[in-house]
Amino acid sequence: MVPALRYLVGARGRARGGLFGGFPRACGPASGRPRPLCGGGRSASTSSFDIVIVGGGIVGLAAARALILRHPSLSIGVLEKEKDLAVHQTGHNSGVIHSGIYYKPESLKAKLCVQGAALLYEYCQQKGISYKQCGKLIVAVEQEEIPRLKALYERGLQNGVQGLRLIQPEDIKKKEPYCRGLMAIDCPHTGIVDYRQVALSFAQDFQEAGGSVLTNFEVNDIEMAKEGPSGSIDGMKYLIVIKNTKGEEIRCQYVVTCAGLYSDRISELSGCTSDPRIVPFRGDYLLLKPEKCYLVKGNIYPVPDSRFPFLGVHFTPRMDGSIWLGPNAVLAFKREGYRPFDFSATDVMDIIVNSGLIKLAYQNFSYGVTEMYKACFLGATVKYLQKFIPEITISDILRQVAVRGLSLWQQPMKVSDNNIDYFLWYCFTLLLTGSTCSFK
């Protein structure tokens, strides 16, 4: 147990500009792209920091940036297991800047989403990061969806989402000429961006302010120090020891863990709870052929059904001009299993023994069957998409495989060339879980 890890702010006196006073930084400011820490000569085995952030994704880098800008006298380090930053969830998502319409009014999610979208647009403008405020239509295509659509509209108003309006079929066609619907919510403040580019900009801000980034540092142990480091003048100031798989160690006073798909395991290492457990799902998208991208201008979403943890298959424009169609969600047999046949026995056992997946599968079995059917037989997915854009046909679509939103490109394959390997793998997933979920 490491009780010191539970608190970022201790009872020690605060000096101006810092939590604990003017400690020297581990390394000087860095410019340009993020680079490994301690370019001035300190090795990883002897480095010490006031605060260490575990995880070099967008959450960890945003936390590091915020801390060093508010407390510039502190020495702060970021540890990332990969050789580059932001290569997992940050680089594997749909890239949508959501407006905040979906969340329960007055909830923290609703407040953070609305405020965060506004701050993100402002930050991108300041830093010259490309984005598109292309808007979103949430479209009702059946009469029974209209009450849910109106309720969602009222929720968005309560959450303070700007610019919302209910529109009729003629206005739907003005926004999306090829889209059909009975009624829609127009969300003009929804946008798209490359979140990895945003994360790397956070890293640059952090390093220019004096922060340090250490890549290729995979944390596998966190413990309280039994004695001060050899020859250290700091004595027992840095009580927490973080070790990596190479036997190197970092010492610090406080730890913030932002480890993405491994958050539960790193939390457990730090002495905190591992609940809730993470269950990895891989989201499968289809790709609209480039010559057919004119069919979609902005985001087009269905009316969500609150009974299921899934927003439904939707149309997502990307910064590179491509259009994604999806996702469904298929249980992955490895936490970072970006390909259909990636497998980890440890991760599978963790899913079966420690998670609540079986309960989720039981509660959503029929829905899971439908989603798996659409995943295996792409014509079924296309038929669903045609409810919104009737002009889309099977020949207009390529298959791509995605994890939590962002694809790992395979050889482009026409959906008419159904692959039996996909079918067998999805059937195996169905037998194990009987359910799907969506993670954005």
Side-chain angles (χ1 to χ4, degrees):
M1 198 68 173
V2 188
L5 303 183
R6 297 182 181 275
Y7 303 96
L8 183 59
V9 182
R12 306 183 187 190
R14 305 187 185 191
R16 181 180 179 183
L19 291 173
F20 314 111
F23 296 110
R25 293 188 177 94
C27 305
S31 60
R33 292 179 59 83
R35 59 175 176 80
L37 93 150
C38 296
R42 297 179 68 181
S43 67
S45 60
T46 59
S47 293
S48 55
F49 298 92
D50 299 319
I51 302 173
V52 162
I53 290 92
V54 178
I58 195 168
V59 176
L61 293 170
R65 176 182 179 274
L67 281 169
I68 204 163
L69 292 180
R70 295 179 186 181
H71 307 285
S73 64
L74 294 181
S75 60
I76 303 174
V78 172
L79 307 181
E80 168 55 43
K81 71 175 182 177
E82 305 293 354
K83 66 177 181 179
D84 296 311
L85 297 171
V87 297
H88 288 294
Q89 288 192 85
T90 303
H92 290 79
N93 60 76
S94 63
V96 176
I97 304 173
H98 285 284
S99 61
I101 191 173
Y102 295 107
Y103 302 118
K104 181 180 178 181
E106 301 300 322
S107 67
L108 185 59
K109 281 185 177 182
K111 294 176 181 178
L112 291 179
C113 192
V114 173
Q115 296 173 12
L119 291 172
L120 180 56
Y121 285 130
E122 181 181 342
Y123 182 80
C124 289
Q125 289 174 349
Q126 291 174 353
K127 296 294 181 177
I129 298 172
S130 297
Y131 70 92
K132 296 178 183 177
Q133 196 167 325
C134 53
K136 173 171 65 179
L137 292 185
I138 303 173
V139 183
V141 295
E142 306 286 351
Q143 283 291 340
E144 59 265 26
E145 294 175 334
I146 292 179
R148 299 206 310 268
L149 184 77
K150 292 180 177 179
L152 187 62
Y153 170 72
E154 293 298 329
R155 171 173 287 193
L157 293 179
Q158 293 178 57
N159 288 343
V161 179
Q162 296 182 4
L164 291 184
R165 61 190 185 113
L166 282 173
I167 60 176
Q168 302 301 319
E170 57 273 16
D171 290 320
I172 293 175
K173 286 185 67 67
K174 290 178 182 178
K175 298 282 292 188
E176 293 285 351
Y178 296 93
C179 182
R180 304 293 182 268
L182 302 176
M183 184 181 290
I185 299 174
D186 180 14
C187 308
H189 284 269
T190 298
I192 55 174
V193 73
D194 181 343
Y195 280 110
R196 185 163 189 262
Q197 188 177 359
V198 174
L200 293 178
S201 181
F202 286 167
Q204 183 171 330
D205 293 346
F206 171 65
Q207 289 183 300
E208 289 176 348
S212 301
V213 174
L214 178 59
T215 56
N216 289 313
F217 195 104
E218 183 174 358
V219 174
N220 71 342
D221 189 31
I222 303 175
E223 62 182 15
M224 295 296 293
K226 297 179 176 60
E227 58 184 18
S230 177
S232 171
I233 62 173
D234 295 323
M236 294 297 291
K237 180 185 295 182
Y238 303 108
L239 297 174
I240 300 167
V241 181
I242 304 173
K243 298 180 180 180
N244 70 4
T245 53
K246 302 174 185 177
E248 299 169 323
E249 66 179 44
I250 297 288
R251 290 183 178 245
C252 61
Q253 296 188 69
Y254 298 92
V255 171
V256 181
T257 63
C258 306
L261 288 167
Y262 288 87
S263 292
D264 53 344
R265 293 181 185 174
I266 297 298
S267 176
E268 194 169 21
L269 282 181
S270 76
C272 299
T273 178
S274 60
D275 293 329
R277 288 282 184 177
I278 288 174
V279 178
F281 278 76
R282 188 185 72 253
D284 291 335
Y285 280 85
L286 304 176
L287 178 68
L288 198 59
K289 284 184 175 180
E291 60 267 28
K292 292 292 183 175
C293 287
Y294 68 87
L295 293 173
V296 179
K297 294 185 177 298
N299 295 277
I300 302 174
Y301 278 61
V303 181
D305 190 330
S306 59
R307 294 175 298 170
F308 306 115
F310 188 46
L311 289 179
V313 174
H314 43 269
F315 301 75
T316 304
R318 299 283 296 173
M319 289 300 297
D320 62 3
S322 62
I323 303 293
W324 287 5
L325 315 172
N328 59 20
V330 181
L331 181 68
F333 296 98
K334 185 178 180 181
R335 292 210 174 189
E336 292 162 354
Y338 300 145
R339 295 166 296 187
F341 299 102
D342 285 344
F343 181 86
S344 165
T346 300
D347 291 345
V348 170
M349 287 303 298
D350 195 38
I351 290 169
I352 296 171
V353 175
N354 296 318
S355 75
L357 182 66
I358 302 301
K359 182 179 179 181
L360 176 68
Y362 177 78
Q363 292 174 340
N364 298 280
F365 184 79
S366 62
Y367 187 77
V369 169
T370 301
E371 286 299 304
M372 286 297 176
Y373 176 79
K374 288 193 294 185
C376 297
F377 300 99
L378 301 180
T381 301
V382 173
K383 186 177 180 180
Y384 176 82
L385 293 169
Q386 288 172 338
K387 292 182 179 181
F388 300 89
I389 299 183
E391 284 81 359
I392 288 181
T393 65
I394 283 182
S395 61
D396 295 333
I397 295 174
L398 301 173
R399 183 201 290 270
Q400 70 178 114
V401 178
V403 181
R404 291 179 176 266
L406 181 67
S407 68
L408 272 83
W409 293 91
Q410 295 185 323
Q411 196 70 17
M413 178 171 59
K414 292 183 180 179
V415 294
S416 56
D417 300 329
N418 285 319
N419 189 322
I420 189 65
D421 291 336
Y422 279 95
F423 175 75
L424 294 175
W425 191 248
Y426 289 151
C427 286
F428 177 51
T429 305
L430 174 60
L431 289 173
L432 182 63
T433 69
S435 179
T436 64
C437 297
S438 174
F439 297 88
K440 295 295 290 180

